[in-house]
PDB file of all heavy atoms in Angstrom:
ATOM      1  N   ARG A   1      65.509 -27.860  43.122  1.00  0.00           N
ATOM      2  CA  ARG A   1      65.010 -28.849  44.099  1.00  0.00           C
ATOM      3  C   ARG A   1      63.970 -29.747  43.489  1.00  0.00           C
ATOM      4  O   ARG A   1      63.829 -30.873  43.871  1.00  0.00           O
ATOM      5  CB  ARG A   1      64.479 -28.206  45.300  1.00  0.00           C
ATOM      6  CG  ARG A   1      65.606 -27.570  46.242  1.00  0.00           C
ATOM      7  CD  ARG A   1      64.990 -26.967  47.434  1.00  0.00           C
ATOM      8  NE  ARG A   1      66.025 -26.422  48.372  1.00  0.00           N
ATOM      9  CZ  ARG A   1      65.772 -25.811  49.511  1.00  0.00           C
ATOM     10  NH1 ARG A   1      64.564 -25.655  49.862  1.00  0.00           N
ATOM     11  NH2 ARG A   1      66.862 -25.352  50.233  1.00  0.00           N
ATOM     12  N   SER A   2      63.229 -29.251  42.501  1.00  0.00           N
ATOM     13  CA  SER A   2      62.120 -30.002  41.801  1.00  0.00           C
ATOM     14  C   SER A   2      62.713 -30.752  40.588  1.00  0.00           C
ATOM     15  O   SER A   2      61.878 -31.259  39.891  1.00  0.00           O
ATOM     16  CB  SER A   2      60.984 -29.063  41.439  1.00  0.00           C
ATOM     17  OG  SER A   2      61.372 -28.174  40.447  1.00  0.00           O
ATOM     18  N   ASN A   3      64.024 -30.728  40.345  1.00  0.00           N
ATOM     19  CA  ASN A   3      64.585 -31.353  39.168  1.00  0.00           C
ATOM     20  C   ASN A   3      63.963 -30.802  37.912  1.00  0.00           C
ATOM     21  O   ASN A   3      63.709 -31.469  37.005  1.00  0.00           O
ATOM     22  CB  ASN A   3      64.367 -32.928  39.266  1.00  0.00           C
ATOM     23  CG  ASN A   3      65.245 -33.617  38.268  1.00  0.00           C
ATOM     24  OD1 ASN A   3      66.299 -33.107  37.941  1.00  0.00           O
ATOM     25  ND2 ASN A   3      64.821 -34.805  37.867  1.00  0.00           N
ATOM     26  N   HIS A   4      63.809 -29.451  37.936  1.00  0.00           N
ATOM     27  CA  HIS A   4      63.389 -28.729  36.733  1.00  0.00           C
ATOM     28  C   HIS A   4      61.953 -29.181  36.269  1.00  0.00           C
ATOM     29  O   HIS A   4      61.695 -29.218  35.093  1.00  0.00           O
ATOM     30  CB  HIS A   4      64.395 -28.816  35.585  1.00  0.00           C
ATOM     31  CG  HIS A   4      65.728 -28.236  35.879  1.00  0.00           C
ATOM     32  ND1 HIS A   4      66.012 -26.934  35.448  1.00  0.00           N
ATOM     33  CD2 HIS A   4      66.768 -28.674  36.565  1.00  0.00           C
ATOM     34  CE1 HIS A   4      67.249 -26.607  35.853  1.00  0.00           C
ATOM     35  NE2 HIS A   4      67.767 -27.666  36.594  1.00  0.00           N
ATOM     36  N   THR A   5      61.069 -29.500  37.212  1.00  0.00           N
ATOM     37  CA  THR A   5      59.717 -29.818  36.906  1.00  0.00           C
ATOM     38  C   THR A   5      58.941 -28.602  36.425  1.00  0.00           C
ATOM     39  O   THR A   5      58.872 -27.605  37.176  1.00  0.00           O
ATOM     40  CB  THR A   5      59.006 -30.431  38.130  1.00  0.00           C
ATOM     41  OG1 THR A   5      59.801 -31.548  38.571  1.00  0.00           O
ATOM     42  CG2 THR A   5      57.576 -30.844  37.794  1.00  0.00           C
ATOM     43  N   PRO A   6      58.401 -28.599  35.285  1.00  0.00           N
ATOM     44  CA  PRO A   6      57.670 -27.417  34.745  1.00  0.00           C
ATOM     45  C   PRO A   6      56.351 -27.213  35.462  1.00  0.00           C
ATOM     46  O   PRO A   6      55.787 -28.072  36.074  1.00  0.00           O
ATOM     47  CB  PRO A   6      57.457 -27.760  33.268  1.00  0.00           C
ATOM     48  CG  PRO A   6      57.399 -29.215  33.225  1.00  0.00           C
ATOM     49  CD  PRO A   6      58.404 -29.734  34.277  1.00  0.00           C
ATOM     50  N   ASN A   7      55.885 -26.003  35.351  1.00  0.00           N
ATOM     51  CA  ASN A   7      54.572 -25.657  35.846  1.00  0.00           C
ATOM     52  C   ASN A   7      53.476 -26.352  35.045  1.00  0.00           C
ATOM     53  O   ASN A   7      53.601 -26.573  33.869  1.00  0.00           O
ATOM     54  CB  ASN A   7      54.332 -24.084  35.676  1.00  0.00           C
ATOM     55  CG  ASN A   7      53.045 -23.599  36.224  1.00  0.00           C
ATOM     56  OD1 ASN A   7      52.881 -23.537  37.420  1.00  0.00           O
ATOM     57  ND2 ASN A   7      52.142 -23.315  35.386  1.00  0.00           N
ATOM     58  N   THR A   8      52.461 -26.744  35.768  1.00  0.00           N
ATOM     59  CA  THR A   8      51.237 -27.356  35.058  1.00  0.00           C
ATOM     60  C   THR A   8      50.456 -26.306  34.292  1.00  0.00           C
ATOM     61  O   THR A   8      50.079 -25.278  34.824  1.00  0.00           O
ATOM     62  CB  THR A   8      50.331 -28.021  36.076  1.00  0.00           C
ATOM     63  OG1 THR A   8      51.111 -29.004  36.844  1.00  0.00           O
ATOM     64  CG2 THR A   8      49.177 -28.709  35.451  1.00  0.00           C
ATOM     65  N   ASN A   9      50.186 -26.580  33.037  1.00  0.00           N
ATOM     66  CA  ASN A   9      49.480 -25.660  32.198  1.00  0.00           C
ATOM     67  C   ASN A   9      47.954 -25.885  32.341  1.00  0.00           C
ATOM     68  O   ASN A   9      47.482 -27.003  32.099  1.00  0.00           O
ATOM     69  CB  ASN A   9      49.847 -25.806  30.712  1.00  0.00           C
ATOM     70  CG  ASN A   9      51.273 -25.373  30.474  1.00  0.00           C
ATOM     71  OD1 ASN A   9      51.841 -24.518  31.104  1.00  0.00           O
ATOM     72  ND2 ASN A   9      51.908 -26.131  29.541  1.00  0.00           N
ATOM     73  N   VAL A  10      47.268 -24.837  32.765  1.00  0.00           N
ATOM     74  CA  VAL A  10      45.796 -24.928  32.984  1.00  0.00           C
ATOM     75  C   VAL A  10      45.202 -23.971  31.929  1.00  0.00           C
ATOM     76  O   VAL A  10      45.420 -22.796  32.001  1.00  0.00           O
ATOM     77  CB  VAL A  10      45.429 -24.523  34.350  1.00  0.00           C
ATOM     78  CG1 VAL A  10      43.871 -24.592  34.475  1.00  0.00           C
ATOM     79  CG2 VAL A  10      46.045 -25.392  35.385  1.00  0.00           C
ATOM     80  N   PRO A  11      44.478 -24.504  30.943  1.00  0.00           N
ATOM     81  CA  PRO A  11      43.934 -23.651  29.871  1.00  0.00           C
ATOM     82  C   PRO A  11      42.883 -22.689  30.397  1.00  0.00           C
ATOM     83  O   PRO A  11      42.168 -23.026  31.357  1.00  0.00           O
ATOM     84  CB  PRO A  11      43.326 -24.666  28.821  1.00  0.00           C
ATOM     85  CG  PRO A  11      43.006 -25.882  29.673  1.00  0.00           C
ATOM     86  CD  PRO A  11      44.060 -25.881  30.762  1.00  0.00           C
ATOM     87  N   PRO A  12      42.697 -21.460  29.790  1.00  0.00           N
ATOM     88  CA  PRO A  12      41.732 -20.527  30.312  1.00  0.00           C
ATOM     89  C   PRO A  12      40.295 -20.815  29.759  1.00  0.00           C
ATOM     90  O   PRO A  12      40.073 -21.518  28.815  1.00  0.00           O
ATOM     91  CB  PRO A  12      42.298 -19.263  29.642  1.00  0.00           C
ATOM     92  CG  PRO A  12      42.891 -19.627  28.381  1.00  0.00           C
ATOM     93  CD  PRO A  12      43.483 -21.001  28.618  1.00  0.00           C
ATOM     94  N   GLU A  13      39.359 -20.244  30.548  1.00  0.00           N
ATOM     95  CA  GLU A  13      37.988 -20.107  30.137  1.00  0.00           C
ATOM     96  C   GLU A  13      37.810 -18.679  29.664  1.00  0.00           C
ATOM     97  O   GLU A  13      38.186 -17.747  30.272  1.00  0.00           O
ATOM     98  CB  GLU A  13      37.048 -20.427  31.268  1.00  0.00           C
ATOM     99  CG  GLU A  13      37.160 -21.804  31.803  1.00  0.00           C
ATOM    100  CD  GLU A  13      36.161 -22.128  32.917  1.00  0.00           C
ATOM    101  OE1 GLU A  13      35.380 -21.224  33.299  1.00  0.00           O
ATOM    102  OE2 GLU A  13      36.264 -23.252  33.477  1.00  0.00           O
ATOM    103  N   VAL A  14      37.125 -18.485  28.518  1.00  0.00           N
ATOM    104  CA  VAL A  14      37.033 -17.169  27.950  1.00  0.00           C
ATOM    105  C   VAL A  14      35.604 -16.764  27.647  1.00  0.00           C
ATOM    106  O   VAL A  14      34.818 -17.636  27.188  1.00  0.00           O
ATOM    107  CB  VAL A  14      37.820 -17.032  26.578  1.00  0.00           C
ATOM    108  CG1 VAL A  14      37.796 -15.726  25.920  1.00  0.00           C
ATOM    109  CG2 VAL A  14      39.324 -17.490  26.691  1.00  0.00           C
ATOM    110  N   THR A  15      35.253 -15.607  28.091  1.00  0.00           N
ATOM    111  CA  THR A  15      33.922 -15.102  27.864  1.00  0.00           C
ATOM    112  C   THR A  15      33.994 -13.667  27.310  1.00  0.00           C
ATOM    113  O   THR A  15      34.784 -12.856  27.712  1.00  0.00           O
ATOM    114  CB  THR A  15      33.136 -14.988  29.208  1.00  0.00           C
ATOM    115  OG1 THR A  15      33.132 -16.322  29.751  1.00  0.00           O
ATOM    116  CG2 THR A  15      31.610 -14.600  28.954  1.00  0.00           C
ATOM    117  N   VAL A  16      33.176 -13.365  26.267  1.00  0.00           N
ATOM    118  CA  VAL A  16      33.021 -12.062  25.756  1.00  0.00           C
ATOM    119  C   VAL A  16      31.655 -11.467  25.899  1.00  0.00           C
ATOM    120  O   VAL A  16      30.681 -12.149  25.589  1.00  0.00           O
ATOM    121  CB  VAL A  16      33.345 -12.095  24.214  1.00  0.00           C
ATOM    122  CG1 VAL A  16      33.243 -10.655  23.536  1.00  0.00           C
ATOM    123  CG2 VAL A  16      34.809 -12.547  23.911  1.00  0.00           C
ATOM    124  N   LEU A  17      31.615 -10.303  26.419  1.00  0.00           N
ATOM    125  CA  LEU A  17      30.355  -9.633  26.717  1.00  0.00           C
ATOM    126  C   LEU A  17      30.489  -8.117  26.590  1.00  0.00           C
ATOM    127  O   LEU A  17      31.485  -7.612  26.837  1.00  0.00           O
ATOM    128  CB  LEU A  17      29.765 -10.074  28.079  1.00  0.00           C
ATOM    129  CG  LEU A  17      30.544  -9.570  29.357  1.00  0.00           C
ATOM    130  CD1 LEU A  17      29.668  -9.740  30.549  1.00  0.00           C
ATOM    131  CD2 LEU A  17      31.850 -10.399  29.531  1.00  0.00           C
ATOM    132  N   PRO A  18      29.352  -7.427  26.348  1.00  0.00           N
ATOM    133  CA  PRO A  18      29.416  -5.876  26.368  1.00  0.00           C
ATOM    134  C   PRO A  18      29.314  -5.363  27.754  1.00  0.00           C
ATOM    135  O   PRO A  18      28.854  -6.016  28.721  1.00  0.00           O
ATOM    136  CB  PRO A  18      28.197  -5.570  25.517  1.00  0.00           C
ATOM    137  CG  PRO A  18      27.263  -6.703  25.845  1.00  0.00           C
ATOM    138  CD  PRO A  18      28.039  -7.989  25.983  1.00  0.00           C
ATOM    139  N   ASN A  19      29.818  -4.202  27.928  1.00  0.00           N
ATOM    140  CA  ASN A  19      29.899  -3.505  29.222  1.00  0.00           C
ATOM    141  C   ASN A  19      28.495  -3.123  29.672  1.00  0.00           C
ATOM    142  O   ASN A  19      28.240  -3.044  30.827  1.00  0.00           O
ATOM    143  CB  ASN A  19      30.803  -2.273  29.097  1.00  0.00           C
ATOM    144  CG  ASN A  19      30.935  -1.580  30.542  1.00  0.00           C
ATOM    145  OD1 ASN A  19      31.228  -2.250  31.477  1.00  0.00           O
ATOM    146  ND2 ASN A  19      30.762  -0.313  30.501  1.00  0.00           N
ATOM    147  N   LYS A  20      27.620  -2.762  28.689  1.00  0.00           N
ATOM    148  CA  LYS A  20      26.255  -2.391  29.088  1.00  0.00           C
ATOM    149  C   LYS A  20      25.327  -2.837  27.879  1.00  0.00           C
ATOM    150  O   LYS A  20      25.767  -3.324  26.926  1.00  0.00           O
ATOM    151  CB  LYS A  20      26.165  -0.858  29.227  1.00  0.00           C
ATOM    152  CG  LYS A  20      26.628  -0.072  27.975  1.00  0.00           C
ATOM    153  CD  LYS A  20      26.600   1.374  28.203  1.00  0.00           C
ATOM    154  CE  LYS A  20      27.048   2.180  26.955  1.00  0.00           C
ATOM    155  NZ  LYS A  20      27.029   3.623  27.109  1.00  0.00           N
ATOM    156  N   PRO A  21      23.972  -2.755  28.176  1.00  0.00           N
ATOM    157  CA  PRO A  21      23.054  -3.231  27.064  1.00  0.00           C
ATOM    158  C   PRO A  21      23.391  -2.481  25.693  1.00  0.00           C
ATOM    159  O   PRO A  21      23.722  -1.313  25.692  1.00  0.00           O
ATOM    160  CB  PRO A  21      21.703  -2.785  27.644  1.00  0.00           C
ATOM    161  CG  PRO A  21      21.871  -2.804  29.096  1.00  0.00           C
ATOM    162  CD  PRO A  21      23.265  -2.363  29.329  1.00  0.00           C
ATOM    163  N   VAL A  22      23.344  -3.309  24.678  1.00  0.00           N
ATOM    164  CA  VAL A  22      23.822  -2.810  23.322  1.00  0.00           C
ATOM    165  C   VAL A  22      22.656  -2.045  22.611  1.00  0.00           C
ATOM    166  O   VAL A  22      21.535  -2.635  22.464  1.00  0.00           O
ATOM    167  CB  VAL A  22      24.349  -4.003  22.509  1.00  0.00           C
ATOM    168  CG1 VAL A  22      24.807  -3.463  21.127  1.00  0.00           C
ATOM    169  CG2 VAL A  22      25.546  -4.608  23.229  1.00  0.00           C
ATOM    170  N   GLU A  23      22.993  -0.857  22.132  1.00  0.00           N
ATOM    171  CA  GLU A  23      22.160  -0.114  21.251  1.00  0.00           C
ATOM    172  C   GLU A  23      22.917   0.264  20.083  1.00  0.00           C
ATOM    173  O   GLU A  23      24.025   0.793  20.103  1.00  0.00           O
ATOM    174  CB  GLU A  23      21.653   1.121  21.997  1.00  0.00           C
ATOM    175  CG  GLU A  23      20.741   0.900  23.259  1.00  0.00           C
ATOM    176  CD  GLU A  23      19.345   0.224  22.940  1.00  0.00           C
ATOM    177  OE1 GLU A  23      18.963   0.297  21.797  1.00  0.00           O
ATOM    178  OE2 GLU A  23      18.811  -0.276  23.853  1.00  0.00           O
ATOM    179  N   LEU A  24      22.306   0.071  18.918  1.00  0.00           N
ATOM    180  CA  LEU A  24      22.995   0.406  17.613  1.00  0.00           C
ATOM    181  C   LEU A  24      23.338   1.841  17.576  1.00  0.00           C
ATOM    182  O   LEU A  24      22.560   2.759  17.910  1.00  0.00           O
ATOM    183  CB  LEU A  24      22.119   0.063  16.420  1.00  0.00           C
ATOM    184  CG  LEU A  24      21.847  -1.452  16.175  1.00  0.00           C
ATOM    185  CD1 LEU A  24      20.959  -1.652  14.991  1.00  0.00           C
ATOM    186  CD2 LEU A  24      23.227  -2.103  15.842  1.00  0.00           C
TER     187      LEU A  24
END
């Protein structure tokens, strides 16, 4: 019905963080 219209690609936002305060 949509004449094979593809999904709109929305790029992700990425964050990296530790689960708890870091101790060596």
Side-chain angles (χ1 to χ4, degrees):
R1 289 182 177 179
S2 66
N3 196 24
H4 295 262
T5 302
N7 182 75
T8 301
N9 294 327
V10 181
E13 297 178 3
V14 182
T15 305
V16 175
L17 67 161
N19 183 52
K20 60 184 179 181
V22 178
E23 298 291 343
L24 290 176

